Amino acid sequence: GERSLSTNYDRVMGLQDYVYNHGLDLDDIKCRFGAFSPEYAEEVLAEFERAGEMPTALIVGSVAIAAGVMSYCKRRGIAIPGDLSLVSFGTFNYPMTVEPQLTYIDDMNGEIADQILQMLEPVVRGEKAVERVQRALEPVLVHGGSCMARKAHV
C-alpha cells in the first residue's frame, strides 16, 4: 500500500521493533510501498530477481499482493514455503482455495465493522454522536502452510 497510510506506518514500526528487540539486522529488511495489487507484487519480485536479491521471506500488506507473489513464484518455480516464506495482512475468507494455504494476520474487518456500527447507532437514532473513540483489536495470526523455518547450513 501507499507509504502515507497509517496502517503501513504502524506495520513498519512494529516490524522494526521486532527486529531490534530480537537482535536481528535492520539492514536485512527492505520495505516497498505501492499498490495493493497482484501486479505490484509481480513488479517488485521481478526487481528483486533481476538484482539477484530474492528474499527468503515476505510480509505483504494485502491478500491481493499475496496472490501476486504466489502467482509469480508458481510461474518461476520458486517454492512456497521451501524457497520463500509468505505472510500477509488482511482477511482471507477462502484459504482452502490456494496451495499452500496462506499464513495471514487477520485484519478483523468484521469486528471493525461491528464497532463502527455501534458508534453510529446513536447518530442514526438522532442522538449526539459519540466523542472520538480509539479502540485496538488484538491481531490474530492464522497459520497456513506458506511459512517454514529455514534450515541451518552445516
Side-chain angles (χ1 to χ4, degrees), residues 7 27 86-87 89 136 140 145 154:
T7 52
D27 292 335
L86 176 63
V87 176
F89 284 92
V140 175
V154 181

Side-chain angles (χ1 to χ4, degrees), residues 3 9 12 17 26 29 33 39 41 43-44 51 61 64 73 79 82 84 87 96 101 103 105 111 121 130 132 137:
R3 182 181 207 98
Y9 175 81
V12 169
D17 285 349
L26 277 171
I29 307 301
F33 299 96
E39 295 80 16
E43 289 171 25
V44 170
C73 289
L84 177 72
V87 176
M96 73 295 292
Q101 289 186 6
T103 298
I105 300 165
E111 287 288 324
E121 192 174 352
V130 176
R132 183 171 184 207
L137 298 173

Side-chain angles (χ1 to χ4, degrees), residues 133-146:
V133 177
Q134 208 171 1
R135 296 189 178 134
L137 298 173
E138 287 297 315
V140 175
L141 178 64
V142 179
H143 294 276
S146 62

Side-chain angles (χ1 to χ4, degrees), residues 13-126:
M13 295 311 295
L15 178 60
Q16 287 180 349
D17 285 349
Y18 180 88
V19 168
Y20 179 80
N21 291 332
H22 289 83
L24 303 172
D25 190 350
L26 277 171
D27 292 335
D28 290 339
I29 307 301
K30 296 179 180 30
C31 293
R32 301 290 186 270
F33 299 96
F36 284 113
S37 71
E39 295 80 16
Y40 178 71
E42 295 199 26
E43 289 171 25
V44 170
L45 285 174
E47 284 177 27
F48 282 140
E49 199 166 27
R50 278 192 301 275
E53 297 179 350
M54 275 303 275
T56 57
L58 287 175
I59 302 170
V60 300
S62 74
V63 173
I65 297 170
V69 169
M70 294 176 104
S71 175
Y72 183 90
C73 289
K74 186 174 184 176
R75 281 195 323 277
R76 304 290 294 166
I78 300 167
I80 297 175
D83 300 318
L84 177 72
S85 288
L86 176 63
V87 176
S88 178
F89 284 92
T91 301
F92 188 48
N93 295 320
Y94 303 101
M96 73 295 292
T97 62
V98 296
E99 186 61 38
Q101 289 186 6
L102 184 61
T103 298
Y104 64 98
I105 300 165
D106 194 331
D107 65 11
M108 310 293 286
N109 63 8
E111 287 288 324
I112 292 169
D114 287 345
Q115 301 236 348
I116 290 170
L117 289 173
Q118 287 175 17
M119 291 184 333
L120 288 175
E121 192 174 352
V123 176
V124 171
R125 288 194 310 254

